[in-house]
Amino acid sequence: MTSTDSAAQKAPAKDPWDLPDVSGLVVGVLGGTGPQGKGLAYRLAKAGQRVIVGSRAAERAEAAAAELGHGVEGADNAETARRSDVVIVAVPWDGHGETLQSLRGELAGKLVVDCVNPLGFDKKGAYALKPEEGSAAEQAAALLPDSRVTAAFHHLSAVLLQDPEIAEIDTDVMVLGEARTDVETVQALAGRIPGMRGIFAGRLRNAHQVESLVANIISVNRRYKAHAGLRVTDV
């Protein structure tokens, strides 16, 4: 055994809560005029992040940005993707694949955070759909081979996110991805929002059950007239 081998064995494990400084990153939100996207944009901008909301129509995005304040800018989806370091995908599931396919070039080299939940609804309530690729996040990874795709922000209440009277969002954010550095960046972004923590929850192959859990949360909310979130204990 060489001295180099010995030093490597004795190196302390990285503290999982030692997360990067993400305050200088520009965050784009595709679907930023919808309830979830607008809520995330509001919370991140209020925390001091530079945020651009995107929409298919620049005028709609600009109107949403003006409503949100806190320095939020508005642009069409392509411009939002080009100008951002991190891009959150918060579009409706039925437009997910088409939107990402159209932005493949603009999203190349970007850190993409997919928060889309493939759900169906019938008289029994919400239920999970399973995309051919396995999950919305895996579909994003298949459509965006030149991007670094992660999954996060699935279980957040759009009502709470958009309510200016609520100072903290009491919840954890499950973050999935293939590269530790990318996952930690998203964890750190979640942690910018008061009350939130970003928690590593596995690789993208585990995204389906995280996305589908939203159907259960919807059932909880309907029964208890609540805006439920999640907390991971003992970490």
Side-chain angles (χ1 to χ4, degrees):
M1 181 180 292
T2 67
S3 59
T4 302
D5 292 334
S6 178
Q9 286 183 355
K10 294 179 181 178
K14 185 180 185 298
D15 181 352
W17 297 111
D18 181 14
L19 301 175
D21 178 7
V22 295
S23 60
L25 297 180
V26 179
V27 178
V29 184
L30 305 181
T33 60
Q36 194 80 357
K38 188 182 290 186
L40 281 168
Y42 171 70
R43 290 290 165 175
L44 288 168
K46 189 176 180 181
Q49 209 73 38
R50 184 180 170 195
V51 176
I52 306 170
V53 293
S55 176
R56 285 178 295 180
E59 295 80 7
R60 287 185 63 203
E62 290 164 358
E67 179 184 341
L68 290 169
H70 297 283
V72 175
E73 300 176 64
D76 64 37
N77 283 332
E79 182 69 12
T80 297
R82 281 192 292 267
R83 293 174 56 195
S84 302
D85 301 303
V86 179
V87 180
I88 297 174
V89 181
V91 299
W93 166 241
D94 59 6
H96 181 264
E98 181 182 353
T99 298
L100 295 184
Q101 182 67 48
S102 70
L103 297 172
R104 180 172 174 174
E106 289 84 357
L107 291 170
K110 307 289 184 175
L111 174 54
V112 174
V113 187
D114 201 297
C115 70
V116 175
N117 303 302
L119 297 176
F121 295 86
D122 60 20
K123 62 183 180 181
K124 295 182 180 180
Y127 60 94
L129 303 175
K130 190 162 187 178
E132 181 179 349
E133 298 85 355
S135 65
E138 288 170 295
Q139 183 183 88
L143 292 171
L144 304 172
D146 300 317
S147 304
R148 292 134 48 216
V149 176
T150 60
F153 301 116
H154 301 91
H155 307 133
L156 306 181
S157 164
V159 173
L160 298 184
L161 288 172
Q162 294 185 81
D163 189 341
E165 300 301 315
I166 295 175
E168 297 187 0
I169 307 293
D170 181 23
T171 194
D172 286 332
V173 172
M174 301 179 78
V175 185
L176 303 96
E178 300 302 315
R180 181 164 184 163
T181 53
D182 293 338
V183 169
E184 289 179 343
T185 295
V186 180
Q187 287 181 261
L189 278 174
R192 296 270 286 163
I193 300 173
M196 282 190 196
R197 295 187 306 171
I199 305 290
F200 171 65
R203 293 178 179 267
L204 287 186
R205 68 180 184 180
N206 293 321
H208 170 67
Q209 53 264 41
V210 173
E211 295 170 1
S212 61
L213 186 59
V214 174
N216 302 89
I217 294 176
I218 290 172
S219 297
V220 170
N221 288 339
R222 287 181 173 175
R223 174 63 61 91
Y224 298 102
K225 311 300 181 188
H227 302 292
L230 297 178
R231 278 294 188 199
V232 180
T233 63
D234 201 35
V235 294

